Amino acid sequence: MTREEKATVIEDLTAQLAENANIYLADISGLDAIATSNLRRACFKANIKLAVVKNTLLAKAMEASDKEFGELPGVLKGNTSMMFSETGNAPAKLIKDFRKKSDRPLLKGAFIAEAIYIGDENLEALVNIKSKEEVIGDIIGLLQSPAKNVISGLKSGGGKLAGILKTLSEKE
């Protein structure tokens, strides 16, 4: 690979790092052709981009990036694949599910909305991170609960103010 080709790859990687808030680094070495194909297919279905990268070029892209990757460049040893996703926990869920049949991929590290996770032992914590949509759903559920109490109080109170107040006070 020429110096110009390396510079182009570093620029492309730097752009990918800038565009994505959720970046996983995994080791998929040891997977046979069928397992690798299955992993790529699972990533495609889950809207996760998977790319094998050269560690030295990724380290230079991290240095050139505006983001602070902390200790993450330290995990760039051996085989490294990058996984990008709009949902912070999607790659972790995919890795966990895939490992029911295989001991790979191994999680090397992750950068999730500026938080850094190092090591495979963080996989479960990453699986449990709620996506933006899940958090919004939880908030809406919490906000709907008091409104449902008021509506049911209005319905069961018979329409009279005293009945409505009695019903609502019993629910507290």
Side-chain angles (χ1 to χ4, degrees):
M1 184 179 284
T2 67
R3 186 172 289 175
E4 291 80 20
E5 291 171 331
K6 287 180 182 179
T8 303
V9 171
I10 292 169
E11 285 177 31
D12 292 344
L13 286 171
T14 305
Q16 287 179 332
L17 294 173
E19 292 170 11
N20 293 284
N22 304 308
I23 303 161
Y24 281 69
L25 302 177
D27 179 358
I28 64 170
S29 66
L31 292 178
D32 61 21
I34 294 170
T36 302
S37 179
N38 290 340
L39 177 63
R40 289 187 180 281
R41 189 174 300 111
C43 286
F44 180 77
K45 287 180 182 177
N47 201 22
I48 298 169
K49 295 176 190 157
L50 175 69
V52 177
V53 293
K54 190 165 175 71
N55 290 330
T56 54
L57 300 180
L58 179 56
K60 289 181 181 183
M62 286 178 164
E63 286 175 24
S65 171
D66 293 336
K67 295 180 181 176
E68 180 54 50
F69 290 102
E71 299 173 28
L72 212 50
V75 303
L76 298 176
K77 294 175 179 78
N79 181 298
T80 303
S81 296
M82 291 176 46
M83 300 172 96
F84 300 108
S85 173
E86 293 199 17
T87 307
N89 63 0
K93 287 181 177 180
L94 185 133
I95 290 170
K96 184 178 178 180
D97 188 51
F98 202 81
R99 290 212 332 224
K100 290 176 183 174
K101 301 172 196 145
S102 172
D103 65 338
R104 298 267 195 242
L106 292 176
L107 177 69
K108 292 174 128 187
F111 180 88
I112 312 297
E114 299 185 18
I116 297 168
Y117 299 85
I118 304 290
D120 196 59
E121 63 276 0
N122 288 305
L123 184 63
E124 197 62 39
L126 290 165
V127 166
N128 293 326
I129 289 177
K130 290 191 175 197
S131 69
K132 183 170 46 173
E133 291 78 15
E134 290 170 325
V135 171
I136 290 170
D138 288 350
I139 292 170
I140 289 171
L142 290 170
L143 292 174
Q144 285 179 340
S145 183
K148 288 179 183 177
N149 288 340
V150 171
I151 291 169
S152 69
L154 291 171
K155 288 180 179 175
S156 66
K160 297 190 183 202
L161 187 58
I164 293 168
L165 290 174
K166 181 179 180 221
T167 303
L168 288 174
S169 67
E170 290 171 357
K171 290 193 175 200
E172 290 179 19

